[in-house]
Amino acid sequence: MYHKVTPQIVDALRAVVGEGNVRTDEEVLEKYAHDETVGLWAQPEVVVFVHSAPEVAEIFRLATRERIPVTPRGAGYGLSGGAVPVFGGIVLSTEKMNRILEIDKQNLMVTVEPGVITGDIHRAVEAEGLFYPPDPASLDSCTIGGNIAEGAGGPRAVKYGTTKDYVCGLEAVLPSGDIITCGGKLVKNVTGYNLVQLLVGSEGTLAVVTKIILRLLPLPKFRVDLLVPYDDFQAAADTVSEIIAARILPATIEFMEQDSILATERLLQKTVPYDDAAAHLLIQLDGSRQEAVDADFEAVGEICLAHGARNVLVAKDTRTRDRLWEARRAIVDALKHESPINHMEDVVVPRAEIPALLRGIKEIARRHEVRIVCFGHAGDGNVHVNALKDALPEEDWHALVPVLSEEIYRLTLSLGGTITGEHGVGATRRRYLPMALDPAQIALMRGIKEVFDPHHILNPGKIFP
């Protein structure tokens, strides 16, 4: 179906982007053969670093003519294999397109290239008194282009939404080599189909984004973070439901079960308060008025204690807040440290169903005699489920992973949820897509892919079974 990258094609690529931006040496190819998905690896034949939309367009025209697959890549921090070149060919890296082009304080917009690190956007706009809320756990490593491709979420999604809620305009290159501009610095726009939102979350299968316009908010002036330990997870879940019912909308409501806390302690060599608790909630409240934040803090604290919280630990200064969040952001690394071979799912259910989901997952773990550690976003129902190989024999582990995945998905779907909340389908979940979507939806999506990419050169082997 696809052709190999020949020396002549390598020369043609160098003519487009320059000698130093085309790499075929083994060390570089190995680096771009994987993302953060454990156990998934496929080596490209060439890695190309692009700097502009016209360069991307030229590469696409060459790839279409020669029938060579192209896999777009940001920083490679994805967790579903979306940037892994499963058919070889060209890895097209946007990491050198890393400029913040404009912070428009009048229109509350920022224009960036796809290779900008998300955390750098945060810091740049906050220096101007503005706020870009989406905050994936890898925000100091991942790029905004990857966030666009995956529709990234993060802890603040409960109040502020996810990446898709802030993308107002895109410049993108189609597999045909056409460069399109969708949307703009507009609050309203119903001119034709919403191609901006079609591209957000399309996992790099429809186009390569080369410029992004993001909506900003005024930076909240006041913030308080609470760490709340519980002896029973059901009590923690009931707390979340009552906070929402009380019409209080925290910026974040994260949960960490005890096993995840203990793993971070072992990695960081630091003690987390109340590490003997069954579960912790990490709640962040923010706003533009100190009195309003204080009132929410008092109300949330009372709700937590009424539902059996052992304490409500308060962090108002930056140093104390950073200590609270250090453990939460270190969980993935801590679990990799515990078991370098592991398998993560990021299922999502209605938030009231999280206790039932966790009970079901623990039953699955008990039945298969495997360690499963859960943490995630209690405020939006997104649970990260981590199965650890530990000392299980390799052959048994490889046989067990698909069984675990299917059982977790069936449980999730039975609770009104779906198979991925923010990590994407990618290469790892595509076989399970028919469990979550009916045939008519999958056929419609395949038809959209066909219109954008009739020769199937762009990120093949992703999303569809």
Side-chain angles (χ1 to χ4, degrees):
M1 182 180 180
Y2 297 113
H3 295 159
K4 291 292 186 181
V5 175
T6 64
Q8 292 77 19
I9 289 171
V10 172
D11 288 342
L13 291 168
R14 287 177 176 143
V16 175
V17 298
E19 180 81 23
N21 293 306
V22 178
R23 303 293 296 272
T24 58
D25 42 308
E26 196 69 24
E27 183 179 351
V28 172
L29 296 183
E30 197 284 328
K31 176 183 176 183
Y32 289 84
H34 58 88
D35 60 7
E36 290 296 298
T37 309
V38 177
L40 185 60
W41 185 96
Q43 186 161 299
E45 296 163 74
V46 60
V47 177
V48 181
F49 301 93
V50 293
H51 301 81
S52 68
E55 287 183 357
V56 177
E58 281 298 315
I59 291 167
F60 272 145
R61 283 191 277 268
L62 173 64
T64 296
R65 186 168 63 248
E66 301 293 339
R67 297 296 189 268
I68 295 170
V70 178
T71 303
R73 180 185 174 100
Y77 278 86
L79 289 162
S80 62
V84 177
V86 295
F87 286 96
I90 300 167
V91 161
L92 189 149
S93 172
T94 61
E95 63 194 275
K96 293 187 177 182
M97 298 181 69
N98 58 4
R99 295 177 298 163
I100 296 176
L101 300 171
E102 180 192 28
I103 298 175
D104 183 344
K105 291 186 283 187
Q106 287 186 314
N107 289 302
L108 298 184
M109 301 276 179
V110 60
T111 303
V112 299
E113 293 182 323
V116 179
I117 299 298
T118 305
D120 289 342
I121 297 175
H122 285 193
R123 286 179 282 274
V125 302
E126 286 171 17
E128 302 292 339
L130 300 172
F131 185 40
Y132 175 64
D135 60 334
S138 57
L139 65 90
D140 284 319
S141 306
C142 64
T143 62
I144 189 65
N147 294 174
I148 299 291
E150 298 299 325
R156 289 198 287 243
V158 59
K159 179 175 182 179
Y160 291 107
T162 63
T163 301
K164 67 178 175 59
D165 299 303
Y166 296 87
V167 183
C168 294
L170 294 174
E171 175 188 81
V173 185
L174 305 179
S176 63
D178 292 318
I179 301 172
I180 63 171
T181 301
C182 319
K185 294 180 183 179
L186 304 169
V187 176
K188 294 180 179 179
N189 183 358
V190 292
T191 309
Y193 295 145
N194 192 337
L195 296 181
V196 170
Q197 291 302 318
L198 179 60
L199 293 179
V200 176
S202 62
E203 302 191 36
T205 63
L206 301 181
V208 169
V209 169
T210 51
K211 191 181 296 181
I212 303 150
I213 299 173
L214 298 168
R215 178 174 67 93
L216 302 175
L217 301 176
L219 181 66
K221 295 179 181 179
F222 303 100
R223 169 180 157 188
V224 61
D225 293 73
L226 313 175
L227 183 67
V228 190
Y230 290 84
D231 290 322
D232 173 62
F233 189 84
Q234 183 65 55
D238 291 343
T239 299
V240 174
S241 297
E242 185 158 337
I243 289 171
I244 302 301
R247 293 177 172 79
I248 300 170
L249 199 57
T252 68
I253 314 178
E254 297 289 285
F255 80 88
M256 300 168 284
E257 66 172 359
Q258 185 183 23
D259 285 346
S260 65
I261 290 291
L262 296 177
T264 61
E265 287 188 332
R266 289 188 284 268
L267 174 69
L268 299 174
Q269 297 294 298
K270 296 178 182 178
T271 302
V272 176
Y274 294 94
D275 59 3
D276 60 334
H280 287 74
L281 292 181
L282 183 52
I283 303 170
Q284 183 182 106
L285 300 160
D286 66 4
S288 58
R289 293 173 54 248
Q290 182 72 66
E291 315 85 70
V293 174
D294 286 345
D296 283 347
F297 157 55
E298 293 294 337
V300 168
E302 289 176 7
I303 292 171
C304 292
L305 294 172
H307 282 85
R310 291 169 62 174
N311 203 344
V312 179
L313 306 180
V314 186
K316 291 188 176 182
D317 62 275
T318 301
R319 184 169 174 271
T320 310
R321 286 200 300 259
D322 289 346
R323 284 182 60 197
L324 289 188
W325 279 95
E326 183 181 24
R328 168 61 184 87
R329 295 199 183 278
I331 291 175
V332 171
D333 288 337
L335 295 178
K336 286 182 181 178
H337 184 259
E338 295 273 300
S339 177
I341 299 177
N342 59 72
H343 180 76
M344 179 189 284
E345 299 292 353
D346 83 307
V347 294
V348 59
V349 294
R351 56 187 164 222
E353 299 293 348
I354 288 181
L357 176 67
L358 293 181
R359 285 195 298 271
I361 288 170
K362 291 303 182 185
E363 171 58 25
I364 291 170
R366 185 198 61 75
R367 193 166 62 250
H368 292 286
E369 299 181 329
V370 64
R371 187 159 58 125
I372 297 181
V373 180
C374 298
F375 67 96
H377 315 303
D380 57 34
N382 188 193
V383 178
H384 300 306
V385 184
N386 302 265
L388 308 184
K389 177 180 177 293
D390 292 331
L392 197 67
E394 195 82 19
E395 186 176 337
D396 294 347
W397 170 254
H398 286 299
L400 179 60
V401 166
V403 175
L404 288 176
S405 294
E406 184 163 339
E407 289 191 19
I408 291 167
Y409 293 155
R410 291 197 185 284
L411 170 64
T412 301
L413 292 164
S414 74
L415 297 171
T418 195
I419 65 175
T420 176
E422 58 187 5
H423 293 167
V425 177
T428 59
R429 298 183 181 91
R430 64 194 189 108
R431 65 185 285 189
Y432 303 105
L433 193 66
M435 293 177 64
L437 301 179
D438 59 55
Q441 290 184 75
I442 295 175
L444 187 59
M445 292 179 184
R446 285 187 185 276
I448 293 169
K449 168 69 172 172
E450 190 74 24
V451 169
F452 274 80
D453 184 19
H455 300 294
H456 301 274
I457 64 159
L458 181 55
N459 214 2
K462 311 297 163 62
I463 301 181
F464 301 108

